[in-house]
Amino acid sequence: MQDPSIEIALIGAGTIGLSFAALHLTQNPNCTITIHDTRPDLQTYIQRHLPTYLPENANQEPYLARLSFANELPTAVKNAQIVQEQGPENLEFKVAIWAEIERHAREDALFWSSTSGIPASAQSREMQDPTRLLVVHPYNPPHIMPLLEVVPAPQQTAEAVVENTLEYWRELGRTPVVVKKECTGFVANRLAFALFREACSLVASGVVDVKELDEIVQASMGPRWTVAGPFKSYHAGGGEGGLTSFMEKIGGTVKNCWDASKEDVTANDVSVGGKWQEDVCKQADEAYGVVDTAERDMKTRKVLSAVADS
Amino acid sequence: MQDPSIEIALIGAGTIGLSFAALHLTQNPNCTITIHDTRPDLQTYIQRHLPTYLPENANQEPYLARLSFANELPTAVKNAQIVQEQGPENLEFKVAIWAEIERHAREDALFWSSTSGIPASAQSREMQDPTRLLVVHPYNPPHIMPLLEVVPAPQQTAEAVVENTLEYWRELGRTPVVVKKECTGFVANRLAFALFREACSLVASGVVDVKELDEIVQASMGPRWTVAGPFKSYHAGGGEGGLTSFMEKIGGTVKNCWDASKEDVTANDVSVGGKWQEDVCKQADEAYGVVDTAERDMKTRKVLSAVADS
């Protein structure tokens, strides 16, 4: 990424595509972006929706001036140094589009898929050179949240591709983390869904309702894990003996919780589509109606800035 | 809590006791506190250690002036309107001490146990009037973290005791949440340990290391859940259709993650004391050494203040 100017092709103009466009435009003053999507109203659509992702009260013209639009894939990718895909979550689509992208893109272009679950090793099936592709999975929305899970295909994606990808995102002030195996759901969703399952189980048990559970997390783990992740937190909790000492002292409680969790998840049938689901969804509707994501994003920016400054 | 001045007895002068003392003293200018502990150097000990829990650069004299010390339990509790216990996590100790406290305390005093796991219904076994006791479980350290899990003994603790407890903590700007059943581990630890188990399993699988996993959480769920808990987040993720729509769209991924989680936790033997544990603890030592909790607490205050102000 020594080149001060860089051209990026974004494939797919859904909400993730718009959010990534805003991220590149605001954090990387040297980039120009071509957005590809087959929708006929592409330019009008982007010009209408992108501004809600850009900083309020800023002059948006300089951002929009660095954008172009392409309904044809070859046009979109031909000059790009980065091709970033956020199309449908469909293996056949991805296999076909990467083979086509490879035919038209520069030989040194980086290929990134935003998929939340289809590994690069599967997407690259019909590529001539599968060493070029990896997954860059955002935590939505990427123009706000710092995390990018960088998931190379083990023994396939080239080391230099991984390094250049990390370098790009670090220069933009983001937090790219390499996931070493193409495990189901990658890491962030696996962690979040594990807690979510326990949350659903506790609500199904009638211990707390949906809103109370959210209050509990917002007043405890949320702020704690913003500053120190779970391992660092429990390591600190063990004092000078660290996590080893924490497990010696609290291991019994951890075991009791894990055992109770297993029993309750089974008793409450907390599987997707289980009987609990309708009630939990109804409680969420009643508690929150339609969530104001602009307010959520504004508060999230303040939280991130508080922890970054300190 | 109409009385502008209030006397509080704190039973047990460990780290939780000191942290609660700092919380009451700093957030409630109308309180005086008597700390009870059987250690012979009680006063010297408190005067040496309490200042690290109090605001830096503040004149600490006015805080310390509102403290007194009692090696004898009856002296400590006799005038208190709140008796808050953070003694050893031992059922026999708690059963005995509440019976004794009840004999010496005012009839209108609130009785709170800080236990992380022994329910009020068990602790109150030898009390004349078991309607007076409930659990007020902090998320450590309570002088920083807003959450208090208020766990009455169902069909036993008086409604007025619950209400007065909530009122006290709300006036102090904290987040007390009622837990309706005395479930194992209450709610916060159940949730946190569920994610922790998944974290241990992913590290045991070699997907990421301890430090990378913490980075992932700090750059994603931490800040997100500080602003909106898991239900509110996924409800927002579903757009206008809310959580129902989220589960329709993402339910397949959730199911795949839950299934993979179950398989991996079993394959990695993620039980307390399992083979994974030594390696994870070693990684935590190497990554963090001894954690600077003062820095963590300072950053946490900033995060909490960012979300409170916005």
Side-chain angles (χ1 to χ4, degrees):
Chain A
M1 302 294 113
Q2 302 307 316
D3 192 348
S5 78
I6 185 164
E7 179 157 341
I8 299 168
L10 294 179
I11 311 303
T15 54
I16 314 283
L18 289 167
S19 177
F20 267 126
L23 174 57
H24 292 294
L25 289 171
T26 55
Q27 301 301 306
N28 184 353
N30 300 315
C31 76
T32 52
I33 296 181
T34 304
I35 303 189
H36 163 74
D37 199 292
T38 52
R39 60 186 305 155
D41 62 340
L42 180 61
Q43 180 159 358
T44 330
Y45 174 83
I46 298 285
Q47 285 170 341
R48 184 183 311 139
H49 291 284
L50 185 64
T52 63
Y53 294 79
L54 292 169
E56 272 185 79
N57 308 321
N59 178 6
Q60 306 207 332
E61 270 314 306
Y63 295 126
L64 300 177
R66 289 192 276 133
L67 272 187
S68 49
F69 309 94
N71 281 128
E72 301 303 322
L73 186 69
T75 318
V77 305
K78 69 172 191 286
N79 296 316
Q81 286 142 283
I82 293 170
V83 180
Q84 187 168 23
E85 173 275 329
Q86 36 278 321
E89 282 292 89
N90 172 312
L91 176 60
E92 297 317 310
F93 166 83
K94 292 191 196 282
V95 167
I97 207 163
W98 284 118
E100 193 186 350
I101 288 168
E102 189 186 38
R103 280 195 294 277
H104 299 285
R106 287 168 51 151
E107 284 198 356
D108 62 348
L110 295 171
F111 292 164
W112 298 343
S113 169
S114 306
T115 181
S116 61
I118 306 174
S121 57
Q123 295 190 38
S124 63
R125 211 172 50 201
E126 296 185 6
M127 289 174 72
Q128 296 293 317
D129 180 5
T131 69
R132 304 178 62 183
L133 180 67
L134 51 63
V135 167
V136 176
H137 177 229
Y139 196 84
N140 285 330
H143 70 294
I144 306 283
M145 304 304 295
L147 177 65
L148 297 152
E149 292 183 274
V150 173
V151 196
Q155 268 110 44
Q156 179 175 300
T157 306
E159 191 52 41
V161 170
V162 177
E163 286 308 317
N164 289 340
T165 301
L166 296 175
E167 189 185 346
Y168 180 82
W169 289 114
R170 286 185 185 134
E171 280 181 12
L172 263 59
R174 313 311 278 183
T175 308
V177 179
V178 175
V179 174
K180 294 186 204 70
K181 296 187 179 178
E182 294 180 312
C183 66
T184 305
F186 311 135
V187 174
N189 277 341
R190 283 285 288 273
L191 294 172
F193 291 156
L195 184 140
F196 180 60
R197 182 175 48 187
E198 192 74 351
C200 293
S201 181
L202 288 163
V203 170
S205 294
V207 172
V208 282
D209 65 27
V210 155
K211 203 171 175 194
E212 289 162 342
L213 188 131
D214 280 343
E215 280 169 2
I216 286 173
V217 174
Q218 289 166 218
S220 59
M221 283 147 266
R224 166 59 48 81
W225 289 345
T226 300
V227 172
F231 288 116
K232 190 171 185 181
S233 293
Y234 292 136
H235 186 69
E240 293 196 0
L243 190 59
T244 305
S245 174
F246 175 85
M247 290 303 291
E248 277 163 17
K249 281 186 274 189
I250 313 291
T253 305
V254 175
K255 183 188 182 312
N256 292 341
C257 285
W258 287 353
D259 290 348
S261 167
K262 202 170 171 180
E263 265 177 47
D264 289 356
V265 163
T266 306
N268 293 319
D269 182 27
V270 184
S271 51
V272 173
K275 208 167 162 299
W276 61 276
Q277 195 171 310
E278 199 178 322
D279 177 54
V280 166
C281 291
K282 197 173 150 217
Q283 283 193 37
D285 280 332
E286 287 168 3
Y288 300 120
V290 176
V291 176
D292 180 352
T293 51
E295 191 199 354
R296 179 199 67 185
D297 290 347
M298 181 271 290
K299 286 187 180 180
T300 307
R301 281 185 197 275
K302 286 195 181 175
V303 165
L304 289 166
S305 142
V307 76
D309 292 348
S310 56
Chain B
M1 303 294 114
Q2 301 307 312
D3 191 348
S5 77
I6 185 164
E7 180 156 343
I8 299 167
L10 294 179
I11 311 303
T15 55
I16 314 282
L18 289 168
S19 177
F20 267 126
L23 173 58
H24 292 294
L25 289 171
T26 54
Q27 301 300 307
N28 186 354
N30 300 314
C31 77
T32 53
I33 297 182
T34 305
I35 303 188
H36 163 74
D37 198 293
T38 51
R39 59 185 306 151
D41 61 344
L42 180 60
Q43 180 159 355
T44 329
Y45 174 82
I46 297 285
Q47 284 167 342
R48 183 182 312 138
H49 292 283
L50 186 63
T52 62
Y53 295 79
L54 292 170
E56 272 186 79
N57 308 322
N59 178 6
Q60 306 208 334
E61 270 314 305
Y63 295 125
L64 300 176
R66 292 191 275 134
L67 272 187
S68 48
F69 309 93
N71 282 126
E72 302 302 322
L73 187 69
T75 317
V77 305
K78 68 174 192 284
N79 296 315
Q81 286 140 284
I82 293 169
V83 180
Q84 185 167 23
E85 173 272 331
Q86 37 277 321
E89 284 290 272
N90 171 311
L91 176 59
E92 297 316 310
F93 167 83
K94 292 193 196 282
V95 166
I97 208 164
W98 285 118
E100 193 186 351
I101 288 168
E102 187 186 38
R103 280 195 295 278
H104 298 285
R106 288 168 49 153
E107 283 196 357
D108 62 349
L110 294 171
F111 293 162
W112 299 342
S113 170
S114 306
T115 180
S116 61
I118 307 174
S121 57
Q123 295 190 38
S124 63
R125 211 171 52 200
E126 294 187 8
M127 289 175 71
Q128 295 294 316
D129 180 5
T131 71
R132 303 177 65 182
L133 180 67
L134 49 64
V135 167
V136 176
H137 176 229
Y139 196 84
N140 286 332
H143 71 293
I144 306 281
M145 304 304 293
L147 177 65
L148 297 152
E149 293 183 275
V150 173
V151 196
Q155 268 110 43
Q156 180 174 300
T157 307
E159 191 52 39
V161 170
V162 178
E163 286 307 317
N164 290 340
T165 301
L166 296 175
E167 189 185 344
Y168 180 83
W169 289 114
R170 287 185 185 136
E171 280 179 12
L172 262 60
R174 311 312 276 183
T175 306
V177 178
V178 176
V179 174
K180 297 185 200 72
K181 296 186 179 177
E182 292 179 313
C183 65
T184 305
F186 311 135
V187 174
N189 277 341
R190 282 285 289 274
L191 293 172
F193 291 155
L195 184 140
F196 180 60
R197 182 176 46 186
E198 191 74 351
C200 295
S201 180
L202 288 163
V203 171
S205 294
V207 172
V208 282
D209 66 25
V210 155
K211 203 169 176 199
E212 289 162 341
L213 189 132
D214 281 343
E215 279 169 1
I216 286 174
V217 174
Q218 289 167 217
S220 59
M221 282 148 268
R224 165 60 47 82
W225 289 344
T226 300
V227 172
F231 288 117
K232 191 172 184 179
S233 293
Y234 292 137
H235 186 68
E240 292 197 0
L243 191 59
T244 306
S245 173
F246 175 85
M247 289 303 290
E248 277 162 16
K249 281 186 277 191
I250 314 290
T253 306
V254 175
K255 182 187 183 312
N256 292 342
C257 286
W258 287 353
D259 290 348
S261 166
K262 201 169 170 180
E263 265 176 47
D264 289 356
V265 163
T266 307
N268 294 318
D269 183 26
V270 183
S271 52
V272 172
K275 209 167 161 299
W276 60 277
Q277 194 171 311
E278 199 177 322
D279 177 54
V280 165
C281 291
K282 197 174 151 218
Q283 283 194 35
D285 280 334
E286 287 168 2
Y288 301 121
V290 175
V291 176
D292 179 352
T293 52
E295 191 198 355
R296 179 199 67 183
D297 290 347
M298 181 271 290
K299 287 187 179 181
T300 307
R301 282 186 197 274
K302 286 195 182 175
V303 166
L304 290 166
S305 142
V307 76
D309 291 348
S310 53

